Amino acid sequence: MTSMEIGDIAAELGLPVDRVWGWGLSTSSGSAISKPTSVDEVARILTWASEHGVPVAFRGSGCSYGDASQNEGGIVLDATAFARIKSFDIDSGLLVAEPGVTLEQIWRRSVPMGWWPPVVSGTMYPTLGGLLSMNVHGKNNWQVGTIGSWVRSFRLLTVTSGELLCSPEENADLFYAAIGGFGMLGCFTEVTLQLKKIYSGCLDVEAIATPDLQHMISFFDTEKDNWDYLVGWVDCFPRGKRLGRGLVHAARYLAEGEDENPRESMSVDAQDLPMHLLGVVPKAVMWRFLKPFMNNFGMRAINAAKYHSGVFSQTRGRPHRQSHAAFAFLLDYVPDWKKAYGKGGLIQYQTFVPRERAHEVHPQLIALCHDAGMVPYLGVYKRHRPDSFLMTHAVDGFSFAMDFKVTAANRERLWQLTHRLDGVLADAGGRLYFAKDATMLAETAGRIWPAEVLGRFKALKERYDPDGLLQTNLSRRVFPEFTDGTAG
Ligand SMILES: Cc1cc2nc3c(=O)[nH]c(=O)nc-3n(C[C@H](O)[C@H](O)[C@H](O)COP(=O)(O)OP(=O)(O)OC[C@H]3O[C@@H](n4cnc5c(N)ncnc54)[C@H](O)[C@@H]3O)c2cc1C
């Protein structure tokens, strides 16, 4: 690592020094922040950093919950201003864009023309660079794969070999490793993405209550061929027979002709999330109303109320229409809701477990949280399928994401709890997800990813970044062996 002080790095490059936070506000670090707007500017920073042995991390919108786009003491290269849509073909649905373009920019441009991003995260703010680096999945992962399955090609600016065009045909090893490669192999500078044709701005949605986690898992398995999207909300508070009770939201696209007025439903106005909740409360202040409830007592009550009102208002067999944006970006309804967690923020712990083990492992994880006295305030369940990307998190099975409040008093115990959960997960052949991670230990990663996979990734790292210039707090924590050739 460089011996240069962060202030000297910033002064030499004419950059500001700032604190960069993980989305969950539970981790942060100080860095010199560069905001390039072109490939040349990215190349200039990489060349300077290489000459001076200063580590560089790429960053998009900072929507990763933990430290995936932080770089303590080094340079953070924030791509959010490198964000033009270069072209969009209305006939083929092919989009060519710079890495800082967000999902929001994409759908605002594409929906009125009858196209929707085929894979979206639960928030519309991530950038293409971030989406590819984490190879994100949507609520339709078992149907359509991760976002990588829809990337036709990209340009990657590498440290050793300049800008390379990568696709399943050209530089294929880099294509399958940089997607999901958490920013370790180069900077995405241009992405060509295939969007999905839609015939309406709406989905048909049904809500179904499931009395425990076993019912939710069975529902996903028996119903998965009937729906395009499935997502389960889990109340993690009850134990015993009601453990893992929840609500499933199932949705399907409308076929051509099913929507009588597609022009109207595909307008941007029809997709926009409301500015007020319940018609009166400005969304921007909603998180302040949530704050008093962000404790065990309040969240137990809110989860129970949500479950019982869900049982009461189930719509099994009676679909209602919901806009794509409203269904996909539910978590954007209350801006800054993470602030309701208070000073310590939150972590999300998302586990991916093979189908045949999920029945036993996921209830066990909830039980371990109860035993430790730290119950997740939010649980989300999804169905997945494996893919061909080297460092993939996806398995033929289920993921369960659990949100935990972090406080000064519980932080150490919470980290220890996640390490106990890691052990159960690794024994079950499960995976963790870098986009959500803040706690994984290097030894856990060594158990989770096969040695052969890690060896192939390291070989690419040595070819395209032999000095380990590209680093993040996450990479140093989880995969120190990828960067121990270490810059400087
Ligand atoms: C409310 C919420 C809901 C979410 N829901 C989902 C979900 O449903 N499914 C899912 O899969 N994820 C989900 N996520 C996670 C999110 O989609 C990922 O963390 C995504 O990577 C964030 O993109 P970003 O632009 O914010 O990138 P950042 O978080 O800033 O960075 C993510 C990674 O990308 C790298 N990177 C960024 N730009 C570049 C570039 N130009 N070149 C190379 N590497 C780069 C960074 O180094 C880092 O490793 C959710 C996050 C939030 C906050």
Side-chain angles (χ1 to χ4, degrees):
M1 186 78 75
T2 181
S3 54
M4 272 183 93
E5 292 293 325
I6 184 172
D8 297 333
I9 298 169
E12 283 226 17
L13 286 165
L15 300 175
V17 173
D18 209 347
R19 238 184 143 68
V20 170
W21 291 82
W23 189 86
L25 301 178
S26 60
T27 57
S28 71
S29 45
S31 301
I33 314 291
S34 156
K35 289 200 173 186
T37 56
S38 66
V39 185
D40 288 347
E41 288 179 37
V42 178
R44 185 179 73 84
I45 297 286
L46 287 186
T47 304
W48 185 92
S50 184
E51 285 165 5
H52 293 79
V54 175
V56 177
F58 303 118
R59 184 171 172 92
S61 300
C63 288
S64 295
Y65 277 65
D67 52 1
S69 54
Q70 294 174 35
N71 185 14
E72 179 74 58
I75 297 171
V76 165
L77 208 149
D78 171 336
T80 50
F82 186 7
R84 282 173 308 151
I85 293 180
K86 290 185 163 176
S87 66
F88 178 60
D89 186 323
I90 182 172
D91 296 318
S92 66
L94 218 52
L95 175 104
V96 182
E98 291 175 344
V101 165
T102 62
L103 279 174
E104 181 182 20
Q105 273 175 275
I106 297 174
W107 73 254
R108 283 183 184 279
R109 172 81 170 262
S110 67
V111 166
M113 300 176 192
W115 298 90
W116 177 254
V119 173
V120 298
S121 50
T123 169
M124 64 174 92
Y125 304 119
T127 63
L128 279 172
L131 295 165
L132 264 63
S133 272
M134 290 302 174
N135 197 16
V136 304
H137 60 264
K139 302 173 180 78
N140 51 357
N141 186 224
W142 87 99
Q143 288 282 31
V144 303
T146 49
I147 192 141
S149 322
W150 296 80
V151 174
R152 295 297 166 252
S153 65
F154 57 77
R155 290 184 181 281
L156 191 76
L157 183 63
T158 62
V159 175
T160 55
S161 310
E163 202 182 24
L164 298 173
L165 180 65
C166 304
S167 70
E169 294 78 38
E170 200 165 341
N171 293 309
D173 52 354
L174 208 45
F175 180 85
Y176 287 104
I179 293 180
F182 51 105
M184 287 297 100
L185 298 174
C187 181
F188 293 106
T189 52
E190 184 185 283
V191 178
T192 301
L193 183 71
Q194 176 66 59
L195 304 197
K196 179 182 166 47
K197 182 85 192 140
I198 49 170
Y199 299 98
S200 167
C202 291
L203 297 162
D204 265 349
V205 182
E206 291 183 18
I208 303 102
T210 45
D212 59 33
L213 198 61
Q214 305 301 344
H215 278 84
M216 185 177 286
I217 293 173
S218 303
F219 182 90
F220 271 75
D221 255 350
T222 52
E223 289 285 328
K224 70 182 183 357
D225 296 334
N226 302 329
W227 300 97
D228 294 306
Y229 295 95
L230 284 172
V231 61
W233 163 81
V234 178
D235 175 1
C236 298
F237 279 92
R239 298 192 78 165
K241 285 205 309 212
R242 290 168 298 138
L243 185 138
R245 69 182 178 186
L247 304 169
V248 176
H249 283 91
R252 66 171 187 85
Y253 292 107
L254 300 189
E256 195 168 6
E258 276 192 274
D259 183 348
E260 284 166 9
N261 195 350
R263 183 187 286 265
E264 160 63 24
S265 69
M266 292 196 295
S267 69
V268 167
D269 284 352
Q271 297 294 320
D272 258 334
L273 303 179
M275 292 303 290
H276 295 81
L277 289 180
L278 307 173
V280 284
V281 186
K283 280 198 317 183
V285 301
M286 251 322 270
W287 69 267
R288 293 181 192 279
F289 289 91
L290 285 175
K291 203 168 176 187
F293 297 97
M294 280 293 178
N295 50 60
N296 288 343
F297 184 74
M299 289 315 290
R300 179 186 287 275
I302 287 188
N303 273 269
K306 181 173 164 69
Y307 176 72
H308 290 298
S309 73
V311 172
F312 183 67
S313 57
Q314 298 190 65
T315 55
R316 186 81 175 113
R318 289 176 289 116
H320 62 281
R321 298 246 158 119
Q322 196 173 20
S323 76
H324 287 278
F327 181 80
F329 306 126
L330 184 69
L331 291 168
D332 292 338
Y333 265 86
V334 180
D336 285 334
W337 56 266
K338 59 188 175 182
K339 289 187 186 163
Y341 276 86
K343 265 199 197 138
L346 77 151
I347 58 168
Q348 185 176 101
Y349 183 81
Q350 187 172 16
T351 59
F352 293 73
V353 173
R355 190 175 56 82
E356 59 283 4
R357 300 296 306 277
H359 284 275
E360 143 217 358
V361 170
H362 280 145
Q364 192 184 349
L365 298 185
I366 300 178
L368 283 169
C369 296
H370 278 272
D371 292 347
M374 285 172 282
V375 179
Y377 288 178
L378 172 69
V380 175
Y381 219 68
K382 291 185 200 146
R383 184 74 168 88
H384 299 271
R385 77 176 193 203
D387 56 57
S388 317
F389 297 94
L390 189 58
M391 296 296 288
T392 186
H393 56 274
V395 295
D396 178 8
F398 296 90
S399 74
F400 182 33
M402 297 180 273
D403 286 10
F404 294 93
K405 178 173 177 162
V406 182
T407 64
N410 81 356
R411 191 178 173 103
E412 203 178 319
R413 282 186 301 122
L414 181 55
W415 261 241
Q416 285 165 0
L417 169 64
T418 64
H419 299 152
R420 279 203 294 288
L421 304 183
D422 289 350
V424 177
L425 184 76
D427 288 345
R431 296 237 162 150
L432 288 165
Y433 183 24
F434 306 130
K436 308 294 177 68
D437 181 59
T439 62
M440 194 189 334
L441 300 171
E443 67 196 54
T444 309
R447 288 189 65 201
I448 286 183
W449 278 274
E452 180 265 339
V453 164
L454 296 181
R456 279 166 60 200
F457 195 83
K458 188 159 192 221
L460 286 167
K461 182 80 175 158
E462 277 164 5
R463 185 166 0 137
Y464 293 107
D465 180 22
D467 295 329
L469 190 73
L470 307 181
Q471 306 186 7
T472 60
N473 288 8
L474 180 140
S475 77
R476 288 190 286 268
R477 171 168 58 83
V478 179
F479 295 113
E481 71 274 24
F482 290 164
T483 46
D484 56 13
T486 293

